[in-house]
Amino acid sequence: MDKIIITGGSGLVGLTLKKILPQAIYLSSSDFDLRSEDEVKKMYSIYKPDSVVHLAGRVAGIYDHLRYPVQYFEENLLMNTFVLKHAYKNGVKKFIGMLSTCIYPDVVEKYPMSENDLHKGAPTATVFSYAYAKRALAIQIDIYNKQYGTQYNYLIPCNLYGEYDKFGQNHSHFLADLMRKIAQADKEIQLFGTGKPIRQFMHARDLVKVITYYLDNDIEENVNVATPEVLSIKEMAQIAIKACNKEHLKIIFDPEKVDGQYRKDVSIDKLLTIMPNFECMSLHDGIQRTYQYLMESNNAIRGIDINYTPQKT
Ligand code: NDP
């Protein structure tokens, strides 16, 4: 049986993947700090994998990106470079890297964006350094395939959420932060910005279905992975209070705070040519399931602890 290692195995996507692919080896920063080339070499010499799903990265919401642009650029660039380079040197057959739809250009002529739009303009200012580091991974994978004849891949997922999300303040994405606010609120929730930006938020379970499909099949194309539900932040907040059974909460927006990119919706036409039956959980059901988990599990206590800071600075 092929030996598969998952970097970033302790994160949202990694822990979700573990549910359906328990036989793989799940690694976190406490196993190997992938910013160090020596540690990456050690990881490959210990595990000698046939396949690598490279999920590890410095990942968070836009406020952390604005605060630490240097770390988002350098740490992601280092991890990606070392993990890919030594995958090739160690004869890894299959490599799946993870990009993000937030690395697409800030504005394009036509929406939804397709994979061909990736390098057609600068990314949005709020995630500028993270986006360029991730775009570099796309280029790195493309040039390894071109120069060395490998068949390595990358996927480009939209925003994600799920049971293993980070629910603490400062590091969380919009939906996890929203669920924490809903959990703590009696009368109202306050949200940053105007509520007008448009987003695709997909449950991590739907991404891992695509990852396992790529592991099981030889596929050349690199594709967007996203939900067809394209909604404004306001619409998502309304769906969320309903899904969490807290419809009485008033939603208040603070237009003084930054909105982030206005829209970055992507097409999944290319994915559907590979997986014609790909379907996503509805946002309502996904939030309901995640919120229930947050309320019932021990993670709820850790999840809404405002001092929970899993990222390194
Ligand atoms: P998380 O932030 O939940 O997890 C990050 C993972 O990376 C953790 O396992 C963490 O380990 C590991 N990691 C961080 N720094 C290092 C390091 N220096 N050395 C080794 N491991 C490290 O990320 P997600 O699961 O949400 O994201 C997975 C991938 O998907 C990322 O590449 C991300 O860019 C991409 N993605 C995520 C989206 C989202 O909305 N979450 C959207 C689109 C793409 P530890 O737990 O030990 O810190």
Side-chain angles (χ1 to χ4, degrees):
M1 198 171 69
D2 274 4
K3 198 185 235 190
I4 307 167
I5 62 168
I6 317 291
T7 70
S10 53
L12 164 63
V13 181
L15 290 170
T16 311
L17 183 60
K18 200 172 182 178
K19 288 270 173 200
I20 57 168
L21 193 70
Q23 68 275 28
I25 295 154
Y26 290 81
L27 302 169
S28 75
S29 67
S30 54
D31 297 303
F32 303 98
D33 183 344
L34 303 176
R35 295 170 298 183
S36 148
E37 188 162 15
D38 285 342
E39 295 263 306
V40 173
K41 283 182 182 170
K42 206 159 90 186
M43 175 180 83
Y44 282 111
S45 74
I46 292 173
Y47 289 108
K48 301 183 177 31
D50 303 294
S51 303
V52 176
V53 179
H54 175 44
L55 303 174
R58 188 169 171 129
V59 186
I62 57 177
Y63 282 88
D64 208 50
H65 283 269
L66 290 170
R67 216 166 146 207
Y68 300 111
V70 173
Q71 281 79 3
Y72 279 92
F73 188 71
E74 290 182 354
E75 293 185 17
N76 285 310
L77 213 53
L78 288 173
M79 284 189 239
N80 296 342
T81 302
F82 296 147
V83 175
L84 178 64
K85 175 177 160 188
H86 292 284
Y88 172 66
K89 284 186 169 227
N90 284 273
V92 166
K93 287 185 284 194
K94 222 174 248 273
F95 182 98
I96 305 173
M98 225 36 69
L99 310 187
S100 166
T101 57
C102 71
I103 73 171
Y104 270 103
D106 193 13
V107 181
V108 295
E109 273 176 18
K110 199 169 138 256
Y111 290 88
M113 293 185 277
S114 81
E115 292 79 357
N116 294 333
D117 290 321
L118 189 58
H119 300 293
K120 284 190 180 160
T124 193
T126 40
V127 292
F128 202 73
S129 71
Y130 169 83
Y132 269 117
K134 285 270 179 193
R135 282 191 194 186
L137 177 60
I139 291 168
Q140 284 170 315
I141 290 174
D142 287 341
I143 58 179
Y144 268 79
N145 289 343
K146 195 169 172 205
Q147 187 171 334
Y148 299 128
T150 47
Q151 199 184 301
Y152 292 166
N153 292 102
Y154 49 85
L155 298 173
I156 316 175
C158 65
N159 286 115
L160 304 169
Y161 68 99
E163 288 83 323
Y164 306 110
D165 220 334
K166 291 180 279 248
F167 292 95
Q169 273 178 347
N170 301 326
H171 298 281
S172 53
H173 296 276
F174 166 68
L175 263 193
D177 198 44
L178 177 62
M179 283 184 251
R180 178 186 55 77
K181 284 179 177 168
I182 291 175
Q184 292 173 332
D186 293 324
K187 293 195 180 94
E188 61 181 43
I189 49 169
Q190 299 211 353
L191 302 180
F192 289 172
T194 60
K196 290 181 185 158
I198 292 166
R199 294 286 180 268
Q200 285 163 299
F201 264 91
M202 180 174 67
H203 193 283
R205 190 203 65 167
D206 295 318
L207 172 62
V208 308
K209 288 190 297 199
V210 180
I211 295 175
T212 53
Y213 191 84
Y214 266 68
L215 282 170
D216 292 341
N217 297 279
D218 289 329
I219 296 161
E220 263 181 48
E221 292 81 12
N222 302 310
V223 296
N224 294 329
V225 186
T227 166
E229 275 186 291
V230 182
L231 300 164
S232 73
I233 294 286
K234 185 176 176 187
E235 287 168 326
M236 286 190 210
Q238 285 163 340
I239 291 173
I241 54 172
K242 206 169 171 186
C244 301
N245 234 344
K246 282 192 140 183
E247 264 179 287
H248 64 280
L249 291 178
K250 195 170 165 203
I251 304 167
I252 297 168
F253 288 97
D254 178 357
E256 297 295 308
K257 296 276 192 334
V258 60
D259 254 342
Q261 191 168 2
Y262 176 62
R263 66 183 295 184
K264 51 180 175 175
D265 42 304
V266 294
S267 147
I268 56 162
D269 288 352
K270 202 171 169 189
L271 171 65
L272 292 175
T273 64
I274 297 164
M275 295 177 66
N277 299 325
F278 176 73
E279 275 182 7
C280 285
M281 201 185 300
S282 74
L283 187 70
H284 177 278
D285 292 356
I287 291 179
Q288 195 169 53
R289 167 183 161 143
T290 306
Y291 190 75
Q292 240 166 34
Y293 180 84
L294 183 64
M295 293 298 100
E296 287 166 9
S297 73
N298 286 336
N299 268 9
I301 298 155
R302 188 185 74 170
I304 57 172
D305 176 355
I306 56 166
N307 296 315
Y308 175 51
T309 51
Q311 298 284 343
K312 294 148 280 302
T313 53

